[in-house]
Structures are given as C-alpha cells and as structure tokens.
Amino acid sequence: MSKSNFYIENARWLSAGALMTFSTAFGQTFFISIFAGEIRTYFDISHSIWGMIYAIGTLASAFTMIVFGGLADKYEPRKITMAIMLLFIFFALLMSTVNFIWVLPFIIFGLRFCGQGMLFHLSMVFAGRWFSKNRGRTIGIASLGLSLSEATLPYLFVISIGLYGWRASWGLAALSIGFLMVPLFFLLSKERNPKFLDHDSGQRQSGMFARHWTRSDVLRHWVFWAVLPAFLFQSIFGTTFFFQQVYLVEIKGWQLSQYVALIPVYTATSLVGLFFGSVFIDRYGTSILLPIYMLPMTVGLIIVVFAKTLLGAAMCFAFMGLMQGLGNTVSGAFWPEYFGTKFLGSVRSVATSLMVFASALGPLFSGYLLDIGFDLPDQYLGMAFLTILSSVGLLVVSLGARRAFR
C-alpha cells in the first residue's frame, strides 16, 4: 500500500487518534500550569503547597489508571472514549467554579486521570492494536494532535485569562472538550480490523519470543525495569519543566506572553521528531531510537540554565520538542512491539500509571526544593545528568533484547 493510499483508507482512525491526543491537553501539565499563578494567588498558597496539591491529584490518578486502564481491552473504543470525555467536561467545569482549597486535589485528579491518563492511554492502545506494519507512522500521526495543542492552547488561553479571567477560561476549556466529542463520536463508530492478520490472530500481534505477554509476565522481565527509569524521567522532567514555566519566566525576567509565544518552536521540532521517529521505527524497529531519544532533553535543560534571553528559551524549546516527538513514537511503539497486543491495554496501563505517578513527583519535589532554597537552574542540571544515565539503561535494552526477536 502506498503512503497516500494508507492515509486515505485509514483517515477515520488516524483522525480519531489525533483528536484524542489533542483533547488530552486540558489535563496536561503544560496547560494546567498556565493557571498556576492565578490559583496560587486566589488560594494564597506557596509553591510547595501547590506542588503538593498537584502531586496528590496526580498520584491518585496514577493509582486509578492501574484499575481502569485495562478497560481498553474489554470495551469498544467509542463507548469508553465518550465516557471519559464526559467525565473530563465535569472536572473542567468544576475547576471553573472551585472556591475551597480542599476540592483542588480532587479536581486535579480528575483532569489528570481523564487527560494525561486515560485519553492518552486509549489513543496509544488503539493505535497499537489497529496497526502493526505502519505502527510508527500511526503513532506519529496520532501524536500530532498533542503537538498541535501544545503549540496553540497555552498562547490562546493566556490571552483568555487576561481577557476573561481564569475561571471563565476553564469554562471555555469544558466547552472545547464537548466540541471535540462530536467528531470523535462519529469517527469511532467503526472498529478497524487489519487486513493483514489471519482469522485466528484477530487483531493480536505477538511480542518478544513470539509471545503474548500478560501484565504479570511483563513485571517479571528485566526489559521492563531497564526501560522504566528513562520513561519515568521523561515524564518527571517534562512535567516539571512545564509546571515551573511561570516561575522560570519570573526568575529570568521574561514576559509570559512572549515566552508562551515560543511554544510553536517546541511543536515544530516535536513534529520533526515524530516524522523521523515514525520512519525509523517502521523501517528498523524501536530499538534503534531507544538509546538516543532522551539526549535532546539533556541539551535543552542545559541551555535553559544558562539562557539570558528568549533566544535561549527558543533553543531550549527546540531540543525539548525534539525529545518529545521522538519519545511519543518510542513509548507508543515500544509496548506492542516488545510485549504484543493481546493484553496491550492491561500492560500499558501499568506503564502509563507509573508515568503519571512519576509526573506527580516532579512538581512535588521541585516545589519543595524551591522552598528550601534549591534553585530551579540547579534542579535542571541534575535532571540533565539523570537523562544521560537513563540512556545507558536504554542502550542495554536495545542490545540485550535483540535475540528475543530472532
């Protein structure tokens, strides 16, 4: 099948994946963090308290993901996606009306569970299950939705906050989720059944050693634990970077509106990463990118530490975006390639919940370190060092697991 025919024949499912990842934005840190200043001011709380609230909600969503992530294997895509998006709207509306600080962790839980957790998890599970031969390309296209939301929503909602306030802006977010539900309802009305699979395998493709790996099998295998630090660091450091963007702008003396206007640079290089990542994965497999995909984050974090102007911020965004694009394709393709698709929802729910759990640790510890005097630039240098160490573990997996596919 030519590339053009592939896109035309599968436009329904490719579009659904992209719309789902776009919708996750309202529960992602890069979006929620632009409200950090207004929320801390309204409730009169410190960096560490806000970080703790964010962590509590995120941790709760991570544990919930373990229970509900496997539903992707049991229910048809449209039913479970619509249910999650309705819940998403509820929590966005709740954020627009919240008056009591004790409700905030519950709201953060809902936003993180629906957005960063379930919707992103579902989009990657469906992409991995629907496609095999062109899985890298499919995951890359699905991830375009998230890249587009990163490029547009922070800038648009910073303007919205300035014009209408942070509460009305969350109401607009709820309305946007409802708007996105409509095309998804129709796009997901038909399940995809890959033509290349035989009647016995259904939509299932095996992983290492031609096996279908269960959740317990995966947790007992060394490959899972070797890749885990890198996947967790990607989540922790990426979340912390965006979570602290308002404070970073303050200590650098930049304007927030000018800073978020640079996010399209992040998106552009993310698209470059998605393109090259999907091409390499479809041609050579995931292992070729595993040892190197985190290294652009190392460069980006070091650059922002020493940046004096917004040009340095733009360069940081460029490298962080490249890592994100490569990371989306790698993390999306790794699980079905190495562990198969039969239990993909259950297996990936563990990985997703751990990454959501990790994303909670970043803001929590970063806020605490700030309150005790550990500067943000020093934190970023530590993160850069850890990304290098995690890449060593990925190299071990890339080389050590080769025999599993012979």
Side-chain angles (χ1 to χ4, degrees):
M1 182 188 297
S2 67
K3 288 185 178 180
S4 59
N5 288 339
F6 171 79
Y7 295 131
I8 293 172
E9 293 184 13
N10 297 288
R12 167 191 292 268
W13 299 282
L14 297 175
S15 299
L19 279 176
M20 288 176 71
T21 60
F22 184 94
S23 303
T24 69
F26 303 102
Q28 299 278 4
T29 300
F30 72 82
F31 182 82
I32 299 174
S33 65
I34 66 175
F35 297 86
E38 284 74 14
I39 291 174
R40 285 194 290 109
T41 299
Y42 181 84
F43 290 103
D44 191 24
I45 54 178
S46 66
H47 288 286
S48 60
I49 296 299
W50 168 233
M52 182 177 67
I53 289 172
Y54 198 80
I56 291 172
T58 303
L59 289 173
S61 71
F63 288 119
T64 309
M65 273 294 302
I66 297 176
V67 178
F68 290 97
L71 295 179
D73 296 325
K74 301 176 181 179
Y75 294 96
E76 64 180 66
R78 183 164 69 171
K79 286 183 179 180
I80 190 170
T81 301
M82 292 299 104
I84 294 299
M85 294 195 77
L86 285 172
L87 193 62
F88 209 178
I89 292 173
F90 167 76
F91 283 107
L93 288 174
L94 196 58
M95 178 64 98
S96 71
T97 60
V98 61
N99 289 309
F100 303 102
I101 192 171
W102 57 268
V103 183
L104 269 181
F106 176 67
I107 296 174
I108 297 299
F109 153 75
L111 294 173
R112 302 289 277 158
F113 172 72
C114 294
Q116 186 200 28
M118 283 299 292
L119 274 181
F120 191 80
H121 169 68
L122 292 173
S123 67
M124 293 297 104
V125 169
F126 298 156
R129 194 166 65 201
W130 287 338
F131 300 88
S132 177
K133 184 179 179 181
N134 297 289
R135 182 178 290 130
R137 196 187 312 176
T138 304
I139 291 170
I141 294 171
S143 299
L144 286 176
L146 179 59
S147 297
L148 180 60
S149 67
E150 289 169 335
T152 57
L153 294 183
Y155 184 72
L156 293 175
F157 274 82
V158 165
I159 295 175
S160 175
I161 292 170
L163 292 175
Y164 309 113
W166 68 277
R167 292 185 181 279
S169 296
W170 272 107
L172 179 60
L175 184 64
S176 300
I177 298 169
F179 178 79
L180 290 165
M181 283 184 65
V182 177
L184 276 172
F185 180 84
F186 293 102
L187 291 172
L188 293 174
S189 62
K190 183 178 180 182
E191 179 69 285
R192 185 180 192 274
N193 294 297
K195 297 177 182 178
F196 66 88
L197 295 171
D198 61 43
H199 67 280
D200 292 322
S201 62
Q203 297 184 45
R204 299 167 181 172
Q205 182 195 15
S206 60
M208 293 186 296
F209 302 108
R211 286 181 54 190
H212 294 291
W213 295 73
T214 65
R215 178 188 290 182
S216 59
D217 291 334
V218 172
L219 293 176
R220 287 194 297 265
H221 200 270
W222 69 269
V223 165
F224 174 82
W225 298 103
V227 301
L228 190 60
F231 287 169
L232 296 186
F233 288 158
Q234 177 186 345
S235 181
I236 293 172
F237 301 159
T239 299
T240 301
F241 176 75
F242 280 104
F243 184 81
Q244 297 292 8
Q245 62 184 342
V246 173
Y247 183 62
L248 176 66
V249 167
E250 291 177 5
I251 63 176
K252 292 289 186 178
W254 300 330
Q255 293 294 320
L256 180 60
S257 59
Q258 295 176 341
Y259 178 82
V260 296
L262 295 173
I263 292 182
V265 175
Y266 175 93
T267 303
T269 55
S270 176
L271 295 178
V272 172
L274 287 173
F275 173 76
F276 283 103
S278 61
V279 169
F280 272 80
I281 287 174
D282 284 341
R283 186 170 299 178
Y284 305 110
T286 308
S287 61
I288 192 171
L289 290 178
L290 270 178
I292 62 173
Y293 90 92
M294 286 283 286
L295 297 180
M297 175 180 275
T298 306
V299 178
L301 289 171
I302 293 174
I303 287 175
V304 80
V305 168
F306 299 102
K308 302 295 183 183
T309 67
L310 286 169
L311 176 61
M315 293 176 63
C316 171
F317 272 129
F319 283 100
M320 294 292 284
L322 181 61
M323 184 284 303
Q324 188 63 35
L326 292 173
N328 282 342
T329 54
V330 168
S331 62
F334 173 82
W335 303 106
E337 180 177 324
Y338 276 69
F339 299 112
T341 60
K342 183 176 181 180
F343 305 104
L344 183 58
S346 177
V347 169
R348 205 181 190 286
S349 69
V350 176
T352 302
S353 65
L354 288 174
M355 285 186 278
V356 174
F357 176 85
S359 70
L361 299 180
L364 177 63
F365 285 109
S366 181
Y368 173 74
L369 291 173
L370 285 176
D371 283 350
I372 64 173
F374 200 84
D375 292 339
L376 195 60
D378 292 333
Q379 294 182 34
Y380 286 168
L381 287 176
M383 294 177 190
F385 176 71
L386 290 174
T387 58
I388 296 175
L389 290 182
S390 67
S391 296
V392 175
L394 295 177
L395 179 61
V396 172
V397 172
S398 181
L399 298 177
R402 284 183 176 181
R403 66 184 182 89
F405 295 99
R406 291 174 183 171

